[in-house]
């Protein structure tokens, strides 16, 4: 079951290339924000906060959060020390613009084991600057659009839209949209 859930994480949650630089982090933001349509900083750990990239053209942002009570994190927490995951998805007219995926581990050692697991399955993760427990990757809009079309063709989505994908992810991972 653990391997099956980790495969779901791999296929659905982190489906692209390494987030180059991970310099999209800033510090000293107290309140996490991020319900559909909002923008601003999303606090990932006490040390790191994700800022909306200035160069993205979007009209809606979704922040899907999974903690230790979600199916996705609870199934991998013991072996890989996962504490939380964040999917920060940007859309324009309900079409994907960019998706940033973050995993927060309980230790640098567990983060390295998670990086190794993903690498063994052809996926790339990178530790965030100055916080080895935060792992990140990103998917561009074109790649995500192809993924949405594939998910629709497999009957996983009713339509190839970001809203349908977010709804599917909430149901399949046990995540919740952050307010």
């Amino acid at each position: 079951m653990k391997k099956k859930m980790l495969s779901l994480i791999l296929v659905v949650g982190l489906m692209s290339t390494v987030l180059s630089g991970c310099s999209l982090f800033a510090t000293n933001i107290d309140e996490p924000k991020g319900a559909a349509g909002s923008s601003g900083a999303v606090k990932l750990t006490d040390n790191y906060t994700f800022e909306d990239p200035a160069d993205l053209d979007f009209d809606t942002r979704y922040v899907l959060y999974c903690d230790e009570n979600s199916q996705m994190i609870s199934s991998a927490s013991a072996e890989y020390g996962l504490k939380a995951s964040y999917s920060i998805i940007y859309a324009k007219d309900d079409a994907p613009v960019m998706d940033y995926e973050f995993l927060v581990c309980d230790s640098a050692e567990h983060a390295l084991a998670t990086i190794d697991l993903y690498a063994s399955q052809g996926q790339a993760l990178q530790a965030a600057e100055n916080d080895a427990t935060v792992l990140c990757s990103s998917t561009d809009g074109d790649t995500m659009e192809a993924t949405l079309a594939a998910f629709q063709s497999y009957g996983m989505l009713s339509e190839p839209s970001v809203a349908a994908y977010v709804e599917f992810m909430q149901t399949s991972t046990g995540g919740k949209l952050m307010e």
Side-chain angles (χ1 to χ4, degrees):
M1 181 67 178
K2 287 181 187 177
K3 295 238 184 236
K4 193 174 193 179
M5 186 55 72
L6 286 174
S7 293
L8 175 66
I9 295 169
L10 285 170
V11 171
V12 177
L14 298 168
M15 57 187 127
S16 75
T17 60
V18 175
L19 174 65
S20 58
C22 283
S23 61
L24 300 168
F25 292 93
T27 56
N28 301 325
I29 305 294
D30 295 327
E31 288 293 318
K33 301 176 187 175
S38 69
S39 61
V42 179
K43 188 172 183 174
L44 300 175
T45 67
D46 288 340
N47 298 322
Y48 286 93
T49 300
F50 178 80
E51 297 278 349
D52 291 331
D55 61 341
L56 285 184
D57 181 22
F58 66 97
D59 57 22
T60 307
R61 180 187 78 171
Y62 299 89
V63 178
L64 185 63
Y65 172 69
C66 293
D67 63 12
E68 63 276 348
N69 297 315
S70 71
Q71 298 162 309
M72 185 174 89
I73 298 302
S74 67
S75 68
S77 63
E79 190 171 350
Y80 293 97
L82 293 181
K83 293 174 31 177
S85 74
Y86 296 82
S87 295
I88 304 174
I89 304 166
Y90 297 90
K92 182 152 185 148
D93 300 325
D94 211 17
V97 173
M98 192 65 145
D99 176 24
Y100 294 95
E101 298 290 329
F102 298 94
L103 296 175
V104 180
C105 297
D106 63 1
S107 69
E109 293 78 23
H110 275 133
L112 285 174
T114 303
I115 288 171
D116 290 343
L117 171 70
Y118 278 69
S120 73
Q121 298 190 18
Q123 299 290 320
L125 291 174
Q126 181 175 326
E129 291 177 12
N130 301 321
D131 192 339
T133 66
V134 177
L135 306 176
C136 52
S137 72
S138 65
T139 303
D140 65 35
D142 291 338
T143 303
M144 191 170 177
E145 190 170 9
T147 301
L148 296 179
F151 280 17
Q152 182 189 25
S153 73
Y154 295 133
M156 298 164 70
L157 300 178
S158 59
E159 62 183 14
S161 68
V162 174
Y165 174 75
V166 169
E167 184 178 329
F168 166 76
M169 288 300 294
Q170 279 184 276
T171 303
S172 66
T173 66
K176 59 188 171 197
L177 284 176
M178 291 179 64
E179 295 293 328

